[in-house]
Amino acid sequence: MTFKSLSLITATLLLTTHTHADETLEPITIVSATKTTQSIQNTTSNVTVITAEEIEENGYQTVAQAINTVAGISVTNSGGLGQQSSFFVRGADSGKVLVLLDGMRLNDPSTTNGTALLDSLTTSNIDQIEIIKGGASSIWGSNASAGVINIITKEAKDGIHGSLALNYGSYNTRGTDADLSYSDKKITAQVLASYLKTDGFSALAPRSAEEDGYENKNYNIKFGYAFDANNKLNLSYNRIKTDTEYDDSFSVSQADDDYSNSTSDQTNYALNYHFNLDNYSAIFNASKGEYNRVYYTYYYMDNQNVYKANLKEYSLINAYQYEKGKMILGLEYKDIDGFSQLNTYAENKASYINKAIFVSNIYDINENTLLETNLRYDNYDEFDDKTTYKIGFKHNHDFYEGFTTSANYYTSYDSPSSYQLANQSPTVDILKPAYTKGYDISASYKDLISISYFNIEVEDGIVYIDGTWPAEYKNTNGIEKFSGLEITSSYVFDPYNITFSANYTHLFDYDAEDGTDHIRRAKDTLNASLEYYTINDTHFGINAQYIGDREEFGQSTGNYTVWNANFSTEIINDVDLSLNARNIFDKDYQSSYGYATEGRSLYAKIKYSF
């Protein structure tokens, strides 16, 4: 009899035990905390891992949907599948969150705030999503002042394996996922592909105004060769192409806008070489990201907005494992170019080079106490250099087995995006990176409960100057403050094979020094789920999300609760069926003011694996 649930609150509370499972889960390892592989227990950072099993069970179609139920994270959508998503980590906007795909940066320098476009990241090829909350610039540099989201794609298993999945659902949503892999002692090779298309619904409310469709094609190829036990080479390629119909809020047609549409084409290449000898390891990485987006709109005339960016990155990560810990030395070089243009108006271009060095040390003071320290220096050729650091403690208390406390203090920063740099206000000499100081304090008891308090202050934040055209950006003079409380809990009713999970987030502050609240943040968010597994692994689940009032330019979206239900089972050997019902009570709500959301809907997926 086996049960394989990873609950809503995921691996954060599953570090020490997994009491309801007769089957022992493999220890969870992550790479996001130090750029080297390590146990999730050997970091003081606040880490959550969403597994492939959890993604399958809940029917998440995009990364944005998957992270939306994690404590401290909030996602708003400007319409349905494929429409623009905004996400916030502990109140901070998405430009302060570094998003990686197998370690490759997905933050697009040509976007307004250097954000990664989560709405185009589907989940079909994902093995796990690692989420670190809290500043991580002392390891990762820019765009990591609020956290890191590292998306890990599936790895080849020994022998030949593969799967084929077909899915269909509401709004004429249909798709196919396929993967084929081979692995032996020398070679690993894997091809993954997915296709998703939907007729959708109107992006701007009302939902029934017209259809805004979406198409997503994703290819992922990985190849690895082990020369011997100490030397291995990996190559990877990932491409995402999308076509999206949307509603331009400036269009005279508004919700009936059947013209506005966009295309995106994002390609990432990576090569990394691993060397291991006794307690020493080194990883050389070289990667390139190419981002191309075109938006077609109609207002006074046909408009074409083109955004392009290239990011080349090289790094050498050295790690030495000693008796009581691990020391890491990293060297990095980045070359970033951004471009944007409206019709035939003047081109906006900006580029800069970033060189960095960092050291990290993880040290076991004793068998119960972990000390983590990081120090990093970033040099830029276009704007101010930055030095960032982190110090963190974690302690397992002898007097009460399973009780753990931890604390982190850090500094972080976010450099201007190439878009902001190309459009800075003429009244400033040069934009400065936004600088963050923050800390968090956490306490947990086994899986039962975990409480974290966080406090963040941002200096020199980069903001759009209202009313300027073309857009102009400047550093703010005041301080932005974010503080809040996260509570997560999970309990297993063993006699009934039922797991209850919940998390609650409350924001105390999310405002600027002038008292202005940041838009689209909810003061209170509550997620809860109930999962039941039969003895043959059939799964029944129901979950709900409560969102408090969100303010947006003086308008409120109001509070609301949305309920979803999930079912999955193996119908015959190697063939699985899953059903996911969303918004089962057909709640009429908005997560972004003026934009439509999904009504009652149902999605089905059948998957054959070998």
Side-chain angles (χ1 to χ4, degrees), residues 424-442:
Q424 66 179 24
S425 168
T427 62
V428 300
D429 293 332
I430 191 74
L431 285 172
K432 295 183 287 187
Y435 187 65
T436 296
K437 295 182 289 186
Y439 65 89
D440 56 55
I441 302 169
S442 302

Side-chain angles (χ1 to χ4, degrees), residues 18-37:
H18 191 66
T19 54
H20 73 300
D22 290 345
E23 177 188 37
T24 302
L25 296 175
E26 292 293 325
I28 295 175
T29 59
I30 58 171
V31 296
S32 313
T34 60
K35 293 192 177 180
T36 62
T37 302

Side-chain angles (χ1 to χ4, degrees), residues 107-145:
N107 291 65
D108 185 343
S110 68
T111 59
T112 302
N113 60 350
T115 187
L117 302 173
L118 288 192
D119 33 273
S120 64
L121 292 173
T122 55
T123 55
S124 56
N125 301 329
I126 293 175
D127 185 56
Q128 69 178 37
I129 302 172
E130 302 172 5
I131 301 166
I132 293 180
K133 288 176 284 187
S137 290
S138 56
I139 292 291
W140 290 98
S142 180
N143 298 115
S145 65

Side-chain angles (χ1 to χ4, degrees), residues 352-366:
Y352 55 87
I353 290 174
N354 172 208
K355 302 171 188 174
I357 181 171
F358 73 89
V359 291
S360 174
N361 189 40
I362 301 168
Y363 180 67
D364 294 316
I365 297 175
N366 54 50

Side-chain angles (χ1 to χ4, degrees), residues 461-481:
I462 301 170
V463 295
Y464 164 68
I465 303 174
D466 286 341
T468 55
W469 193 92
E472 294 180 5
Y473 292 86
K474 67 174 184 176
N475 293 105
T476 58
N477 294 321
I479 295 175
E480 298 171 86
K481 297 180 179 179

Side-chain angles (χ1 to χ4, degrees), residues 205-256:
R207 180 190 305 145
S208 58
E210 41 88 53
E211 293 175 341
D212 284 317
Y214 174 66
E215 184 178 48
N216 182 301
K217 300 173 184 174
N218 189 354
Y219 318 95
N220 185 283
I221 300 172
K222 295 195 284 189
F223 176 79
Y225 184 79
F227 296 95
D228 53 42
N230 299 326
N231 294 274
K232 185 176 181 181
L233 178 72
N234 292 316
L235 300 169
S236 61
Y237 165 85
N238 192 76
R239 186 172 186 182
I240 304 169
K241 296 182 68 175
T242 67
D243 286 284
T244 309
E245 298 170 349
Y246 67 101
D247 292 330
D248 185 349
S249 59
F250 296 105
S251 168
V252 293
S253 301
Q254 294 285 322
D256 290 320

